[in-house]
Amino acid sequence: MEDKQSEVILIGIWRSSYCQRIELALKLKGIPHKYVEEDLSNKSELLLHHNSIHKKVPVLIHNGKPIAESLVILEYIDEHWNNSPKLFPDDPYLRAKLRFWANFYDQKIMVAILPIIMSKGKQREKAIEEMNELLRVFIEGIMKDFPEKFPFDGQNLGLLEVIAGTNLCNYKAFNEAVAVAWSPEKTPPELLTWVNALNQHSLIKQTIPPHHKLVAAIMEKFSRFLKHDA
């Protein structure tokens, strides 16, 4: 691999699964990089300079050139460092399918989490049901389109494992901090089996935050919605 890999900087925040997915991809590819923790309440000049449009993390800086938006960054990583393991398959049709489900995850499932936090009572139960229905569509869809990935072999992480693993492997922290949204009674068993298998992967264990630390961060960030739940 090229020497210029040393010129890789990731700007992120530790609790964000969008940032964790980039960190995990860099680790998978064996790409040396510098991690810079951002303070979104007092945004740094580094962030404002390199992502002047959205002013959000993650941002990957490679040889001084910034790339924003996590899915865009993941595709850039896989194309620039095309060594194994590959995040995307070589077949154009399968790549298109993969992009579809990655976008579905971010545009549907990730968006469905916030209503659970912001609601209470029956509205929260409805929000939980709606999120788990999206999870059912997701897991059934990827099992149909990528049957070779199931059951998870404990080794090979691709794009969907990177995206979902850095988010869903924290589900117990969300359950403790907010409400029991993921459970055998509510969540498709195939999805829980997949996520629990992903959670045993050494790089995912290294990348996602400690349970107690994430619980505290979620409760602090959303305290105004959660303070009356006790």
Side-chain angles (χ1 to χ4, degrees), residues 57-185:
V57 293
V59 177
L60 187 77
I61 306 170
H62 181 212
N63 295 336
K65 299 176 181 178
I67 305 101
E69 301 295 323
S70 64
L71 293 182
V72 177
I73 296 171
L74 289 172
E75 193 154 359
Y76 176 84
I77 289 172
D78 204 47
E79 289 182 355
H80 187 82
W81 292 279
N82 57 8
N83 57 290
S84 294
K86 296 281 289 180
L87 300 179
F88 288 82
D90 292 328
D91 181 84
Y93 180 72
L94 292 178
R95 289 172 71 89
K97 284 286 189 181
L98 202 62
R99 288 191 186 97
F100 172 86
W101 287 115
N103 284 316
F104 180 91
Y105 192 90
D106 275 6
Q107 296 171 11
K108 299 291 186 179
I109 295 171
M110 293 293 281
V111 171
I113 294 173
L114 189 58
I116 298 173
I117 298 172
M118 299 179 66
S119 59
K120 301 183 188 302
K122 291 184 178 180
Q123 285 187 331
R124 176 173 283 176
E125 286 302 315
K126 182 181 178 183
I128 291 173
E129 288 178 10
E130 290 174 348
M131 184 199 66
N132 277 293
E133 174 59 19
L134 291 169
L135 290 172
R136 182 193 63 77
V137 173
F138 175 73
I139 192 67
E140 289 181 359
I142 64 174
M143 289 179 73
K144 177 184 176 182
D145 287 343
F146 306 100
E148 71 282 357
K149 288 182 170 287
F150 298 90
F152 178 61
D153 62 7
Q155 297 296 323
N156 297 313
L157 299 178
L159 181 72
L160 296 179
E161 289 83 2
V162 167
I163 290 171
T166 47
N167 177 244
L168 290 178
C169 285
N170 291 317
Y171 77 87
K172 291 182 180 179
F174 185 93
N175 283 357
E176 182 176 334
V178 181
V180 179
W182 291 270
S183 70
E185 294 75 28

